[in-house]
Amino acid sequence: EYELKDLANTFNDMIERIRLDYVKQKRFVSDVSHELRTPISIVNGYARMLDRWGKSDPEILEESIEAIKGESKNMQVLVENLLTLVRSDNQTLEFEREKFLLDEMGLELIKDCRLIDEGKHTFESHIDASIEVCLDYSKVMQTIRIFLDNAIKYTPEGGKVSLDMTQLGQLVEISISDTGIGISKNDLPHLFERFYRSDESRTRETGGHGLGLAIAKAMIIGQKGIIRVKSKINEGSTFVITLPISCDELRDKG
């Protein structure tokens, strides 16, 4: 009797996991179609306008070319992001590890943020000196940029964005915090889901496909790291990334 009950529970759990995977896959395909529908419609619209009037009107010609170039770039970015996630799912996402100073990268990123932001926010950094790591340079930089970009997007003008880097033995802790609008408790469990949007109107205003955090998570997990998040509405958010600093540490954990 007990063995049959355990078997039934196991079978029910398996069916539920299959159902959830199917629902996620169906939603993923729907989300991709939704993201591609708008840029494709815009490209088609401008192509038709070019065909009708653009050949003889320089203004329409210039406007159409710029719009088509912009939407093509948008689709290219979306496809590249999707390929990154697919490679992560298939465990074929490659990491080219090399030794570099993480503190120098951090200072460079903060410098870039100040330059691009044009004084709208205050940027602070608390970075330990001479943090040598053996990780994928480009993927670590892309990951930190994703969090910094989000911090800037969702922090009103006059707010503060901070980047901290601390070496903890054979680990390095990277913290990105802001004084922005924060994330609700209901949204936190879904934060790293693909195409997840906590606020549709806010997403349209700030742009993006809703894939940045999912990609960042894939790049962190792929390098044997972990990520934690703390946030309160109207009080800001803090994302904490922990990564092993050495190649030997990566091999041991692999």
Side-chain angles (χ1 to χ4, degrees):
E1 179 181 355
Y2 294 110
E3 290 178 353
L4 287 175
K5 184 177 179 181
D6 290 341
L7 180 61
N9 289 336
T10 301
F11 185 76
N12 288 336
D13 289 342
M14 180 186 69
I15 294 297
E16 180 63 14
R17 287 197 300 271
I18 293 173
R19 186 189 70 82
L20 290 175
D21 286 342
Y22 173 76
V23 170
K24 287 181 180 179
Q25 183 179 13
K26 186 177 179 181
R27 177 186 167 189
F28 182 73
V29 171
S30 175
D31 287 338
V32 172
S33 301
H34 176 76
E35 291 293 337
L36 286 172
R37 185 181 297 118
T38 298
I40 289 174
S41 297
I42 292 173
V43 169
N44 285 336
Y46 274 101
R48 287 195 298 268
M49 188 166 65
L50 274 174
D51 188 46
R52 292 179 182 176
W53 305 292
K55 299 172 184 176
S56 57
D57 190 325
E59 290 187 7
I60 291 179
L61 180 63
E62 183 66 24
E63 178 187 347
S64 300
I65 291 173
E66 289 303 314
I68 290 173
K69 284 169 60 180
E71 293 305 325
S72 298
K73 179 65 175 177
N74 187 34
M75 287 188 285
Q76 180 184 358
V77 170
L78 174 59
V79 171
E80 288 174 354
N81 287 340
L82 290 171
L83 286 174
T84 297
L85 293 172
V86 169
R87 292 187 185 109
S88 175
D89 289 343
N90 296 335
Q91 297 184 346
T92 57
L93 185 60
E94 296 181 354
F95 294 88
E96 298 179 3
R97 298 183 176 94
E98 59 181 292
K99 289 186 178 181
F100 63 91
L101 291 173
L102 185 65
D103 51 298
E104 290 185 356
M105 175 190 287
L107 294 173
E108 179 183 344
L109 286 169
I110 286 294
K111 180 181 178 181
D112 291 344
C113 286
R114 290 194 179 107
L115 180 65
I116 297 170
D117 189 67
E118 298 179 342
K120 296 176 183 177
H121 301 87
T122 299
F123 293 92
E124 292 185 357
S125 60
H126 303 88
I127 300 174
D128 288 353
S130 302
I131 305 176
E132 186 179 56
V133 298
C134 184
L135 298 166
D136 188 308
Y137 183 92
S138 61
K139 289 185 173 59
V140 171
M141 177 173 278
Q142 183 180 354
T143 298
I144 299 174
R145 273 184 174 154
I146 287 171
F147 291 113
L148 286 173
D149 287 345
N150 278 355
I152 294 169
K153 284 180 182 178
Y154 301 126
T155 300
E157 288 191 25
K160 183 174 68 175
V161 175
S162 300
L163 173 63
D164 300 339
M165 294 180 172
T166 307
Q167 183 170 346
L168 304 171
Q170 292 301 308
L171 301 172
V172 62
E173 187 174 273
I174 305 166
S175 175
I176 302 97
S177 59
D178 62 65
T179 58
I181 60 178
I183 305 162
S184 71
K185 288 184 178 180
N186 292 334
D187 291 324
L188 279 173
H190 307 285
L191 200 57
F192 295 95
E193 293 179 7
R194 298 163 192 185
F195 295 107
Y196 183 75
R197 292 175 174 82
S198 60
D199 186 332
E200 289 286 351
S201 62
R202 185 179 69 182
T203 300
R204 285 194 297 269
E205 181 180 330
T206 57
H209 300 109
L211 294 175
L213 292 180
I215 290 172
K217 180 181 178 182
M219 291 182 178
I220 293 166
I221 299 300
Q223 297 184 87
K224 311 300 181 184
I226 59 173
I227 181 168
R228 307 186 304 277
V229 55
K230 299 182 292 183
S231 186
K232 286 186 179 180
I233 292 292
N234 297 323
E235 293 186 18
S237 306
T238 299
F239 291 85
V240 181
I241 305 164
T242 305
L243 289 165
I245 66 171
S246 69
C247 295
D248 291 338
E249 185 73 10
L250 284 167
R251 282 195 290 268
D252 292 342
K253 292 194 173 188

